[in-house]
Amino acid sequence: MSRRAGAIPLGFITGAILLAACVDIPTGADEVLSTQVNPLPSPSVVVGDSLRDSTGVVSPVTITAFNYNGDAITSPPARFSGLDRGIRVDSLTGVVVGDSVRSGARILATLKGLSSTTTIAVTLRPDTVVLSNGRDSLSYSLTDTASNVSNGIGVKVLHGATQDSAVASWFVSFRILSPTTTGLAQLVDDNRRASSADTTDASGIALRRIKIDPTKLTALVDSVIVLASVKYRGNNLKGSPARLVLKVKPK
């Protein structure tokens, strides 16, 4: 009887098992089995500047090493490099410097033969904040609660003061200034999940929606005031914090 075309020879399977058995998998509590790049302090780095955190402090790329049990462990220093144009990465410290505008540049971290990557955008220096649908209204319903979510209100971040110099991939934080009644108004994303921050899109715009619980209103007509803050090197940009207003009224 002829061998089936898709059959795998027994000798091949045995050899594969023996090869796998010979692989030296580190199982010690202090031995590195895997690594991952930690979340970046910012989604982007400015051209001509170093990667910084929200307070303006230069912050390098870092990694976490894990042992066989998945526990984070202390490890030898990693080595870093940029895989794409647009950034320069110090191989020892992991400090990233923006070189030219890019929607995404990959960073490689290597430790003991293991490697992991992350991607960062390179953008123009943010200078100015202007409103983007900064005034809107919502007609609420006591019965159709699914409709009690506003359109997105927010800001546009610019390099300089011209509308065609948008700053993409920049962090914007939002907070409700008033009313202060617990549960009356909540900031949400496009999927209606609670979210008080956004990253600017390719046009430099960041938006949040507002979900209303009309049963908590003390007047039929009211306004929700939101502050949108945008910072660079720890300082507010011109026009930040921006005051956003949503008028709420019954249908």
Side-chain angles (χ1 to χ4, degrees):
M1 182 173 64
S2 62
R3 180 183 298 165
R4 290 185 296 112
I8 301 175
L10 179 61
F12 180 85
I13 297 175
T14 303
I17 294 174
L18 290 174
L19 178 61
C22 293
V23 175
D24 185 16
I25 299 177
T27 57
D30 296 322
E31 293 183 290
V32 179
L33 179 66
S34 64
T35 63
Q36 73 174 24
V37 178
N38 297 322
L40 296 176
S42 172
S44 60
V45 58
V46 171
V47 171
D49 196 5
S50 300
L51 176 62
R52 299 174 182 271
D53 65 15
S54 60
T55 66
V57 176
V58 174
S59 299
V61 179
T62 60
I63 71 165
T64 298
F66 300 93
N67 63 16
Y68 184 80
N69 294 319
D71 299 321
I73 60 174
T74 301
S75 65
R79 294 294 180 265
F80 303 91
S81 60
L83 298 179
D84 301 306
R85 295 164 55 191
I87 55 173
R88 302 192 307 274
V89 185
D90 188 288
S91 63
L92 299 179
T93 65
V95 171
V96 181
V97 176
D99 187 75
S100 57
V101 174
R102 293 285 185 278
S103 60
R106 293 170 299 163
I107 302 167
L108 175 70
T110 305
L111 173 63
K112 286 197 161 187
L114 302 172
S115 61
S116 48
T117 61
T118 188
T119 302
I120 189 168
V122 188
T123 191
L124 297 170
R125 183 190 68 248
D127 296 316
T128 308
V129 177
V130 296
L131 298 182
S132 178
N133 194 36
R135 302 287 185 271
D136 208 336
S137 62
L138 171 66
S139 297
Y140 62 82
S141 170
L142 291 173
T143 56
D144 182 16
T145 57
S147 66
N148 295 336
V149 179
S150 74
N151 296 319
I153 59 174
V155 294
K156 183 172 185 176
V157 182
L158 304 172
H159 171 68
T162 59
Q163 293 292 323
D164 60 351
S165 59
V167 175
S169 301
W170 201 258
F171 184 80
V172 179
S173 63
F174 298 81
R175 70 179 180 91
I176 294 176
L177 183 64
S178 69
T180 57
T181 304
T182 301
L184 191 160
Q186 181 183 32
L187 293 163
V188 297
D189 60 18
D190 288 341
N191 296 314
R192 303 192 177 195
R193 296 176 298 200
S195 174
S196 59
D198 193 18
T199 301
T200 57
D201 59 18
S203 61
I205 294 175
L207 304 169
R208 291 294 80 170
R209 296 172 182 260
I210 299 176
K211 182 179 179 180
I212 296 295
D213 181 352
T215 63
K216 297 182 181 299
L217 288 169
T218 58
L220 288 177
V221 178
D222 204 345
S223 293
V224 179
I225 300 174
V226 175
L227 295 183
S229 298
V230 190
K231 296 184 177 183
Y232 176 48
R233 293 197 172 194
N235 298 314
N236 276 303
L237 304 185
K238 180 181 179 181
S240 170
R243 185 183 177 95
L244 315 173
V245 180
L246 177 72
K247 184 177 181 180
V248 294
K249 57 186 178 180
K251 286 187 176 180

